[in-house]
Amino acid sequence: MKILILTQHYPPDIGAASFRMESLAMTLLERGHKVTVLTAYPNRYKDLKHDNGVDERPGLKIYRIKLPKQTSNFLNRSIIYLQYFLKSFLRGLRETQKSDVILATSPQLLVGYLGSLLSRIRKKPFVLDIRDLWPDAMLDLQVTSEKSFLFKILKRIEKKMVARAGRVVINSPAFEGHIKRIANVPISIITNGLDDSILEYFERNKVER
C-alpha cells in the first residue's frame, strides 16, 4: 500500500513523537509498503539543520514544511500548529490523492484533524494515532478551563477527528474509555517500547540494565 503519515515532528527532530513515527515508517517499509511523510523542519533545536525540503529514498519520501522558531510560549506554539495545518493542507491534498491510507498522529490536535479532513475530501481510509489526551490535558496543566471558548473549540476538533477515523491507535489502555465516550470506533492499543537496535546496542557494549 501507499501510506501517507502526517506528523509535525520527525527525525532529525528529537523527541518521542519523532522516534515513534520513524519506527512506524521503517516498519512499514520493511513490510513492503511505500511511505510518504508530511512533516516540518526540525526548527525547535538550533543545532539541527536541514536544507532540503524533500528527502527521497527507496520506498520513502519526506516532505518538510517551513515553520517559525518554536518556543515554550503557548501563543507561539498555537500559531505554529495552525501554520503547519494550513501549509500542509495543499500538499496533503496532492499526496492523499496518490495514497491508499492516511495516518495522522496527535497531539497536536490539528495534525489529527488535518488527517480526518483529507480523508473526508479524498474518501480515503484514516487511522488516528493518539499519544496523549488533548485538549483534556490542558485542564490538568491549568492552561484553560472547560468553560473557555478555546477548550470548547478544541473538543469539537477532537470529536470530529476521532469520529472520522476508521481506527484509533492508542499507547495506553487508560485512553480507551475516553475514546469510546467520543465515538464508537475500532481501537488498537500499541504501547511504547524499545527498538531491537537499542537492545542490541546494550548487548554489544555489555551495558548493565
Side-chain angles (χ1 to χ4, degrees), residues 22-187:
E22 183 184 40
S23 294
L24 174 62
M26 294 304 104
T27 299
L28 291 172
L29 286 175
E30 290 171 2
R31 296 185 179 185
H33 302 293
K34 293 185 177 180
V35 178
T36 298
V37 178
L38 183 53
T39 187
Y41 278 83
N43 64 352
R44 292 194 301 167
Y45 306 96
K46 294 180 180 179
D47 57 336
L48 293 180
K49 303 295 182 183
H50 208 280
D51 298 325
N52 188 12
V54 183
D55 289 339
E56 290 191 67
R57 62 196 77 171
L60 176 64
K61 184 178 289 187
I62 303 171
Y63 290 100
R64 299 185 189 274
I65 306 297
K66 289 186 177 181
L67 298 173
K69 173 70 177 175
Q70 182 170 314
T71 70
S72 59
N73 179 271
F74 179 77
L75 179 60
N76 169 270
R77 298 182 77 166
S78 299
I79 292 172
I80 290 174
Y81 292 162
L82 181 59
Q83 287 191 358
Y84 173 83
F85 174 83
L86 295 173
K87 290 184 176 183
S88 299
F89 180 73
L90 291 179
R91 169 61 67 181
L93 276 179
R94 291 194 290 271
E95 295 306 316
T96 305
Q97 195 169 21
K98 299 178 285 185
S99 302
D100 299 309
V101 178
I102 305 165
L103 186 146
T105 184
S106 173
Q108 50 106 338
L109 282 176
L110 288 180
V111 176
Y113 184 67
L114 175 63
S116 70
L117 185 60
L118 294 174
S119 169
R120 183 179 182 185
I121 294 172
R122 293 299 190 195
K123 310 298 183 186
K124 298 294 178 73
F126 170 50
V127 178
L128 176 63
D129 172 61
I130 295 180
R131 292 173 289 102
D132 207 349
L133 298 181
W134 290 79
D136 289 59
M138 296 171 67
L139 300 179
D140 297 331
L141 296 172
Q142 298 183 337
V143 175
T144 187
S145 68
E146 289 189 59
K147 295 181 179 180
S148 72
F149 178 73
L150 173 63
F151 183 78
K152 291 177 181 178
I153 290 294
L154 294 178
K155 287 298 287 185
R156 287 178 65 86
I157 290 174
E158 178 193 33
K159 184 175 181 178
K160 285 183 178 295
M161 72 180 190
V162 171
R164 289 175 182 168
R167 180 168 296 274
V168 173
V169 179
I170 55 178
N171 62 3
S172 170
F175 294 175
E176 189 170 5
H178 179 89
I179 300 302
K180 286 182 176 179
R181 286 192 292 272
I182 297 174
N184 183 24
V185 294
I187 298 173

Side-chain angles (χ1 to χ4, degrees), residues 198-209:
I198 298 176
L199 296 176
E200 291 168 2
Y201 171 85
F202 286 141
E203 294 293 340
R204 267 196 322 271
N205 292 277
K206 307 297 182 184
V207 177
E208 292 187 9
R209 288 174 282 178

